Amino acid sequence: MEQKYLPLQIEEKWQKYWEKNKSFKVTEDPNREKYYLLEMFPYPSGKIHMGHVRNYTIGDVVARYKKMKGYNVLHPIGWDSFGMPAENAAIDHGVPPARWTNENIEAMKKQLKKMGFSYDWDRELSTCEPLYYKWEQLFFLWMYEKGLAYKKGASLNWCSKCRTVLANEQVEAGLCWRCGTEVEEEYMEQWFFRITRYVEELLEYCDRLPGWPERVLTMQRNWIGKSYGCEIVFPMADSDDVIKVFTTRQDTIFGATFMLIAAEHPLVMELAKGKPIENDVRDYIERVKKQDKMMRTSDYYEKEGIFLDAYCLNPVTEKKMPIYAANFVLADYGTGCVMAVPTHDQRDFEFARKYGLELIVVIDNPDKPLDAETMTEAYVDEGILINSGRFNGMENMKALESIAEYLESLGRGRKTVEYRLRDWGISRQRYWGAPIPITYCEKCGAVPVPEKDLPVILPRDVELTGEGGSPLAKIKSFVETSCPNCEGPARRETDTMDTFVESSWYFDRFCCPLFDEKPGLDKKALDYWMPVDQYIGGIEHAILHLLYSRFYTKMLRDFGIIGVDEPFTNLLTQGMVCKETVRCGQHGFLYPEQVKDGKCTQCGKDVQIGKTEKMSKSLKNVVDPDYLIKEYGADTARLFCLFAAPPEKDLEWSDQGVDGSFRFLNRVWRIIQEYLDDVRSLESFDGRGELNDELKNLRKKTHQTIKRVTHDIDPRFHFNTAISAVMELVNTLYQTARPPKNETRALSVVREAIEAIVILLHPIVPHITEELWETIGKTVKLSETPWPEFDETAAKEEEMTIVIQVNGKLRSRIRVSADEDGEIIKERARKDERVLQFIGGKTVVKEIYVPGKLVNIVVKG
């Protein structure tokens, strides 16, 4: 064995072994219990970052642990390889997206392999390959046939220079993120998936996912946004037309004094048409369209509107209500129209004060009566109804049902349910995505591509300029085709699918990545592997990706392809990797390597240490995993990522922490080397024979550590405390007096401790542990070795600490025998000197003993 720990040599050796022997390749085995572990697959951006390292290390620990526990573990990896960055690279550098993507995949694959992750590389897939998206196109056709895929007009963010639709997150301060052009709203024909058909099931099953963080489930429920309320009809004052409004606050209907309509709503121009205000309204609409939707609805954004020179009638008071277009009302929520009750809604209150509109109090504060004239803000708490006709004197929340029934009796409303969730718009006017398998014929209209003609292949010889809309529309050989129905001339759909579509079923394809029969998914494999037992990824995907994946699973279930209702049984959302920022007054943010001894290497000036932020290229507070591996080895990188923080918490980077992790691995290396000649030929202690107190303590610590690490890894995922437990065992081994060479029983106890250290660390630091395992004479590789069982008797403490409370407050502690009788423990607690100070002269009402933990003495007087 090498005298010195040389991580790079060791890691290269074992990575080659695992690859050559396909150590992590799996197939379905009905005689073994499966475990499907999956981290969210990466976008091939070119290099992995520390967020990747942390995410995939967490998953790898669980995968290796479960394998050692006897499970048939599926742990695949692939590439979410369609998307905008590849197009941007083509535009900026003239590199074809396919080449850019595949080169990045190869580079990142090398980095992942250097980390020693236990992937079944035979299942690798890339979503930009026709063998993948062929089946996605098939699912589209099936959805189209069942009405789950459809095309309709919708208002969308539009960049006139790039001539493409932008997602909300691609609009920055009202400008296109790519070119800086002011973003407009355009009404365009787009393809949608009818996710709303599954809205109730998606909501209901949020209560059937106990393995998901409650935070994520809350975010999903809020996104679905189920609301019970009323649809109320407001007649127009001068016509037979009506405006319909959805509200959950029908208790305030008597206080509705004006009507607000989303600026983008078609009704706005209808009401303004032919009036002197028409041009002003049109200008107002264009101005609002350029405002960020999320900002418009925020509390602090200025409320703006324009009077449409029209009135409707309050359905219960018959009073005329002026109608305004407003910037803080959105067209895609409810009906796009809102009854404004300024005394009981803060945004309506600010709008009414700004435009001099009427305020009527209808919910009074029972403690301090309200006056509409002197109110400085809306009253939004519960109260008693006033100015509300027959409902005066009722508690407002208790009147909701009665008022809904009253509106129904008038024919002016009905109880209903509304959802925030809208159908999923999947059209993208971009090149690097999966083609939508639809053709357009002047005679036949929209015609689906026949299944036998799939895949519709995305052409690779495309020139990308960044301007002029979808590049596909300019490729004659792609666009021009024949109609599948009449064989006349037709043109292909040139929109491509949202990349969320690819990531909504990749976990299914991992179960059978080479299956090439319709429908591209092997039901037998899916029945064995699905659902994913443990899914790991960032909280940023808590809504869209997870919601779309749940929808897609239910859709495939209803087509008879898959037999599960939900794709992921358990979900872990890991925290971010953060690091302090460093800034130079002259050169701005600096990379770590641009700072030496507190000074900027470019100008020699002192640097300023800033806030600790999520690692990002823009802030330059990043650490290159390649550097870390080269300096310390992959095992140190893995150990630090797991030891520095629990997986669900943010990890704050620490160079000292990395050094400490490296030192610990060296300590493990040294102690085993020191004992190597003495224990190599021995077996671990078999539990027979007497041991002195020191060796008893070492054996007890060994089995306590096995017990604690097992419990910390599964199901808690508290890897940091598991590592801490092994560190304590290593310390105990260092502190144990070295037995003479001829005392084989004593040395067998040491051997047992060494084996435990190595095997318990294996899922965390697999390279060094495989090397040490082999060095101590083991012929079966650690990756094939079962997880150790602890001896309950050996792990049992001979003594335990009992906390003593008086009236629930900590007053003392005592040490007692681990098998001491409860009554004796209570007696000792009463006689404890410190306890007597608090119970002397008082009456003991009762004594509560919690076995192994505490005694609580309740006294009075």
Side-chain angles (χ1 to χ4, degrees), residues 5-22:
Y5 170 44
L6 302 172
L8 297 186
Q9 292 180 18
I10 292 169
E11 289 168 6
E12 183 179 3
K13 169 186 170 179
W14 289 104
Q15 287 160 16
K16 285 180 178 178
Y17 174 86
W18 295 327
E19 185 166 5
K20 179 182 177 182
N21 291 277
K22 295 187 180 292

Side-chain angles (χ1 to χ4, degrees), residues 718-749:
H718 286 191
F719 309 120
N720 56 327
T721 56
I723 294 166
S724 180
V726 180
M727 289 177 171
E728 290 177 17
L729 177 56
V730 171
N731 289 340
T732 302
L733 182 57
Y734 265 100
Q735 293 160 8
T736 300
R738 184 168 185 146
K741 290 180 180 293
N742 61 346
E743 291 191 12
T744 56
R745 182 186 298 164
L747 288 169
S748 69
V749 176

Side-chain angles (χ1 to χ4, degrees), residues 136 140 143 148-151 156 165 190-195 423-430 433-437 493 495-502 504 548 551-552:
E136 191 171 293
F140 180 96
M143 294 170 77
L148 285 169
Y150 66 95
K151 198 171 191 180
L156 301 159
V165 166
Q190 297 281 289
W191 284 99
F192 289 83
F193 283 163
R194 204 180 299 274
I195 189 174
D423 282 338
W424 174 10
I426 66 155
S427 288
R428 297 294 181 267
Q429 290 71 43
R430 300 172 192 139
I436 295 174
E493 172 64 75
D495 284 359
T496 54
M497 290 193 225
D498 179 9
T499 55
F500 273 123
V501 179
E502 283 82 61
S504 293
Y548 294 156
F551 157 68
Y552 222 80

